[in-house]
Amino acid sequence: MSERKQTVLVVDDEPQIVKVVCAYLEKAGFAALPAGNGLEALDVFHRQKPDFVILDLNLPGMDGLDVFREIRREADVPVLMLTARAEEADRLVGLELGADDYVIKPFSPREVVARVRTVLRRAAPRPAGGSELLRVGDLVIDLAEHSVRRAGETIALTPTEFEILAALARQPRRVFSRLQLLEAAQGNAFEGYERTIDAHIKNIRLKIEPNPRAPAYLHTVFGVGYKLEVEEHA
């Protein structure tokens, strides 16, 4: 019995982009699902339940951010955004909504495939038999299960958010620069916009902090970066 292929939904209103990206994905061993607009994308998403979504933000009619919001209401499936250089504001909104990564047009289809593989590899549970737990205060990060709990309550993070939190938790109290966290989340192979880390940090705080405006765990060290630490108050 052949192993099930992972499915990737590719959403863009430019047919040639969809055709090329789908071809590269299928050559890499994925099953590609094409869609040319937001409504079609949601229809395919609901019917096929893909493992990954590549989503252009600049869609006619229902735009990419609205599509993304609908997807996020249903699932934490990894999402890679396709953006134009002029869409920095939308890109940051997408990251704050929980997107895992983005690629700026024009792009290399090989890079897109590589990023899909990287995010899916991060999202995959590790083999059983060696559960590694990281604890910071009442936060428990299970590297094998790819799960996070606070005071026993499960917290849903995207693969990118999980990798950032795990990197911080492996070395509590160490201050990480944005670039170091970007490398922890994406790997050394990719260049990215360092300030996108701020969007991911904001998202993580909204999920793990009792009061995100007064963080108890994830602290900003101004001019340097971020650290994970439970501070003792007198």
Side-chain angles (χ1 to χ4, degrees):
M1 184 176 179
S2 61
E3 185 179 349
R4 173 188 172 273
K5 290 184 178 181
Q6 290 179 299
T7 56
V8 181
L9 172 60
V10 181
V11 189
D12 200 297
D13 64 325
E14 298 183 49
Q16 186 61 21
I17 288 180
V18 174
K19 181 179 178 181
V20 170
V21 172
C22 284
Y24 272 80
L25 286 166
E26 288 171 354
K27 185 177 180 180
F30 296 98
L33 306 170
N37 59 62
L39 292 177
E40 182 183 1
L42 290 176
D43 178 60
V44 175
F45 182 83
H46 293 145
R47 288 188 290 104
Q48 300 290 337
K49 310 295 184 187
D51 300 296
F52 198 101
V53 178
I54 297 173
L55 176 63
D56 183 21
L57 291 186
N58 188 23
L59 295 172
M62 186 179 194
D63 72 23
L65 289 176
D66 288 336
V67 174
F68 185 87
R69 289 185 181 96
E70 289 297 320
I71 287 173
R72 265 295 166 268
R73 287 191 182 102
E74 293 192 24
D76 284 323
V77 59
V79 175
L80 171 69
M81 299 179 299
L82 304 180
T83 77
R85 290 190 181 276
E87 295 171 341
E88 183 178 302
D90 282 349
R91 183 161 66 245
L92 290 175
V93 170
L95 290 167
E96 289 177 357
L97 289 173
D100 289 276
D101 203 353
Y102 68 88
V103 173
I104 297 174
K105 294 181 177 181
F107 55 79
S108 161
R110 288 187 179 89
E111 180 185 0
V112 170
V113 172
R115 293 199 181 205
V116 170
R117 281 177 165 159
T118 297
V119 174
L120 285 173
R121 186 167 58 248
R122 294 199 309 258
R126 300 189 182 187
S131 180
E132 183 181 354
L133 300 181
L134 303 175
R135 300 177 186 271
V136 179
D138 59 1
L139 276 179
V140 179
I141 297 107
D142 190 320
L143 298 180
E145 293 185 357
H146 219 268
S147 65
V148 178
R149 296 186 299 279
R150 188 191 71 213
E153 180 180 352
T154 299
I155 299 170
L157 299 181
T158 69
T160 298
E161 292 163 3
F162 182 88
E163 289 300 326
I164 292 170
L165 184 62
L168 290 162
R170 286 187 180 98
Q171 299 183 65
R173 296 180 295 281
R174 174 189 166 182
V175 181
F176 287 79
S177 70
R178 291 181 177 87
L179 180 58
Q180 288 169 330
L181 291 175
L182 189 67
E183 290 177 348
Q186 295 185 342
N188 294 327
F190 305 131
E191 293 183 0
Y193 179 50
E194 289 182 36
R195 289 286 175 177
T196 62
I197 288 295
D198 296 344
H200 289 307
I201 291 291
K202 179 180 177 181
N203 241 20
I204 295 169
R205 280 176 171 156
L206 287 172
K207 295 177 179 181
I208 72 169
E209 298 284 0
N211 179 4
R213 295 189 176 186
Y217 303 98
L218 217 175
H219 303 279
T220 301
V221 179
F222 292 101
V224 185
Y226 299 99
K227 66 177 179 177
L228 190 67
E229 178 181 17
V230 180
E231 294 185 345
E232 298 293 337
H233 298 283

